[in-house]
Amino acid sequence: MQKEYDVIVVGAGPAGSMAARFAAEKGVSVLMLEKDRDVGYPVRCGEAISKAGVEEFIQSDDKWIAARISKFSFNAPDGSEVIIEFGEAGYVLERRIFDYELARTAADAGADILTRAYVNGLLFDDDGKVSGVKYEYHGEQKEIKCKVVIAADGVESRVGRWAGLKTHIDFRDMESAVQITAANIPVDQNTLYFFFGKNVAPNGYFWIFPKGHNKANIGLGISGIIGKKKSAQSFLDDFMNKHYPNAPILTKIAGGVPCSITLDKISAPGIMLVGDAARQVNPLSGGGIASGMIGGSIAGRIAAEAILMNKLDHILTYDKAWSDRLGKRHEIFNRIKEGIYNFSDEKFNSIAHSLLKIPIEKRTLGRVFSVALWNNPSLLLDIAKVFVI
Amino acid sequence: MEYRQAKTGKLMIEILPDRCDFCGCCVGVCPEDAIELKEAEIFIIDPRCTNCAKCVWSCPIEVIKFNKNGIPK
């Protein structure tokens, strides 16, 4: 370990690892700090991702692919099931291995990595620019200086706050989630299942994502508005008691998914925010692995450029680079989410019935959304934009 | 009885650490940065808490409780 670094990344999830890797690949010195004992564990994630989202960053590898996905199944409250077929569209990951491999690519690029290093404060120079981090390691309080801090500290997003950025998320936009990985769940191993309705996951959705050999991630996320009255845990218990009362449970985990648009500001002098910490999750699907990796890669590249040019103000161009790549699109997804989440059970049912009239070979996600929004014309324009951009 | 003191008087929020999964939902929604979360350790920073209860509503597994009588020291 060096005494000082060009870049310090806080958090070793997918966004942090890509920030570390893309900065290190440009030849600047990078240290990535992870608060937990392990990179990639515990896994707080449904683990589904598109193939394209993965392959922008790492070659697909069977050792972290738990299931290959070629179908979506949307389930309405009355039990109507609409299946959409793709080619091989995506994967359910084994994230404890996947995250490890991502961190390994950062290490290959030259980044140093330290686990069990809990960052609990920032250092500032005389001008108020962030100039390093304070952290606890093996019970000792330490400090280390750097030119740029990249905060990849996840849903908590405290590092950005310490730099004066407003990172806390409205409790209505936080999807509080709980998930089990269960065995003996005899669902199709190439299909992602989504369930909608006020009894299963109001203002959110319930999922069953296969993980091979009849294992599956089963969970849901609900807005804090719903959580006020009934917790995610309670919805999960109801579903499992009804459908799989005797399923052996291999893992149970809680988590939060920030389903909002990206923060107003994701950079400030000496600091950049990436991944969940920047609220870079796709607010419609709740998927954050691919978008976090994209955010991380942009931030890592820009941080390195700024250091190599000796022009640290350059990091402030990150906000626009992110917005152009995905941020603007997430604003549209967020409006669609707000439209869909307010649908009544009757509306979900009638949408499913309309979709079932379309022959399966002609069903596409685009058509699903067009039908879904037929009753909500103000959103049609937004939909059109999604498929034009 | 002596009570823990929040920014707005008696502290009324209680985290049950034995049942917590350390997922960070509550930290993400806390407007006051009043929750400290390590790998497997969590606590409220009392003088910052305003008893707004957003953490209570966003906890997926009902580990944070609101007790209007206050939390004894």
Side-chain angles (χ1 to χ4, degrees):
Chain A
M1 228 176 101
Q2 301 173 200
K3 281 191 178 146
E4 285 188 32
Y5 284 86
D6 292 321
V7 176
I8 292 179
V9 179
V10 182
S17 282
M18 288 306 95
R21 171 174 137 194
F22 278 73
E25 278 176 353
K26 290 214 166 241
V28 302
S29 62
V30 179
L31 171 66
M32 181 161 68
L33 300 172
E34 165 57 47
K35 81 169 163 32
D36 289 350
R37 186 178 58 188
D38 294 277
V39 170
Y41 184 81
V43 178
R44 302 190 189 279
C45 183
E47 302 184 287
I49 187 169
S50 75
K51 190 177 169 186
V54 169
E55 291 189 340
E56 184 172 343
F57 297 100
I58 189 166
Q59 206 175 354
S60 292
D61 189 329
D62 280 337
K63 73 182 167 197
W64 42 253
I65 297 173
R68 291 171 183 272
I69 299 305
S70 55
K71 281 180 260 178
F72 283 5
S73 159
F74 292 108
N75 295 269
D78 69 358
S80 305
E81 181 186 24
V82 179
I83 294 174
I84 303 179
E85 294 180 330
F86 305 91
E88 190 178 91
Y91 307 126
V92 178
L93 300 172
E94 202 63 74
R95 272 213 42 200
R96 62 179 73 188
I97 304 172
F98 180 73
D99 284 24
Y100 229 78
E101 283 302 301
L102 293 180
R104 193 261 309 154
T105 67
D108 284 352
D112 286 344
I113 305 173
L114 196 62
T115 63
R116 280 198 157 166
Y118 174 63
V119 171
N120 54 14
L122 291 172
L123 303 173
F124 296 90
D125 67 15
D126 294 342
D127 304 327
K129 175 193 156 301
V130 174
S131 62
V133 302
K134 301 177 188 176
Y135 67 104
E136 195 180 295
Y137 184 68
H138 287 185
E140 268 183 66
Q141 187 63 36
K142 296 176 179 259
E143 295 183 358
I144 186 158
K145 289 194 160 187
C146 65
K147 297 191 176 101
V148 178
V149 170
I150 298 182
D153 57 326
V155 65
E156 297 101 308
S157 195
R158 296 184 73 204
V159 175
R161 294 182 200 210
W162 301 331
L165 296 170
K166 181 192 161 291
T167 70
H168 89 266
I169 186 163
D170 190 304
F171 77 101
R172 288 165 290 203
D173 291 331
M174 179 69 89
E175 291 282 321
S176 301
V178 59
Q179 173 178 279
I180 56 173
T181 305
N184 300 350
I185 307 295
V187 294
D188 183 84
Q189 296 296 296
N190 305 111
T191 302
L192 295 183
Y193 295 84
F194 302 87
F195 300 81
F196 298 89
K198 67 175 190 303
N199 289 329
V200 288
N203 286 48
Y205 65 83
F206 194 104
W207 64 82
I208 299 181
F209 295 166
K211 286 201 73 176
H213 305 283
N214 286 350
K215 299 192 302 297
N217 287 341
I218 304 176
L220 75 150
I222 51 168
S223 155
I225 282 276
I226 303 300
K228 259 177 155 174
K229 295 165 213 132
K230 181 171 172 176
S231 70
Q233 175 69 63
S234 178
F235 281 102
L236 180 63
D237 291 345
D238 289 352
F239 187 95
M240 292 306 287
N241 287 334
K242 189 170 167 194
H243 297 282
Y244 302 107
N246 300 313
I249 305 216
L250 304 171
T251 311
K252 185 190 153 202
I253 197 99
V257 187
C259 286
S260 66
I261 57 171
T262 307
L263 297 176
D264 282 348
K265 272 186 80 177
I266 53 175
S267 64
I271 186 163
M272 308 162 93
L273 273 54
V274 299
D276 284 15
R279 314 311 180 198
Q280 287 174 333
V281 170
N282 174 337
L284 179 58
S285 67
I289 310 168
S291 55
M293 289 195 290
I294 289 170
S297 67
I298 298 172
R301 172 180 58 77
I302 292 179
E305 286 168 2
I307 289 157
L308 294 172
M309 291 190 292
N310 200 18
K311 192 170 168 281
L312 289 181
D313 284 356
H314 178 63
I315 69 168
L316 305 178
T317 63
Y318 165 56
D319 291 53
K320 180 166 189 312
W322 163 257
S323 175
D324 290 347
R325 176 73 202 269
L326 275 182
K328 281 180 201 146
R329 188 179 292 208
H330 284 185
E331 289 175 16
I332 296 167
F333 287 157
N334 195 52
R335 287 202 290 276
I336 297 171
K337 175 197 92 170
E338 284 171 357
I340 290 177
Y341 281 11
N342 291 322
F343 282 2
S344 65
D345 281 9
E346 292 68 33
K347 196 172 267 188
F348 278 122
N349 291 335
S350 83
I351 290 164
H353 301 157
S354 307
L355 289 168
L356 284 170
K357 290 181 192 143
I358 304 173
I360 189 161
E361 66 276 8
K362 289 191 177 164
R363 277 180 221 148
T364 61
L365 262 191
R367 288 196 78 162
V368 168
F369 280 118
S370 329
V371 173
L373 294 160
W374 189 248
N375 296 319
N376 213 329
S378 65
L379 283 167
L380 281 174
L381 191 63
D382 290 333
I383 292 292
K385 286 183 201 154
V386 172
F387 293 102
V388 169
I389 288 170
Chain B
M1 182 87 82
E2 282 205 59
Y3 293 92
R4 286 168 60 180
Q5 292 299 303
K7 192 174 178 180
T8 49
K10 268 186 203 169
L11 181 73
M12 299 175 194
I13 308 286
E14 183 176 24
I15 302 176
L16 310 175
D18 293 348
R19 284 172 43 193
C20 180
D21 199 36
F22 313 103
C23 77
C25 269
C26 53
V27 182
V29 299
C30 177
E32 308 295 334
D33 194 23
I35 303 173
E36 188 72 43
L37 170 65
K38 301 188 186 179
E39 182 173 20
E41 189 182 331
I42 188 162
F43 55 88
I44 294 174
I45 304 166
D46 296 13
R48 294 188 190 171
C49 180
T50 62
N51 295 312
C52 75
K54 285 173 180 145
C55 54
V56 179
W57 305 329
S58 61
C59 179
I61 54 175
E62 301 175 42
V63 164
I64 312 184
K65 302 291 182 192
F66 189 82
N67 180 348
K68 66 177 179 346
N69 297 322
I71 311 301
K73 266 190 183 158

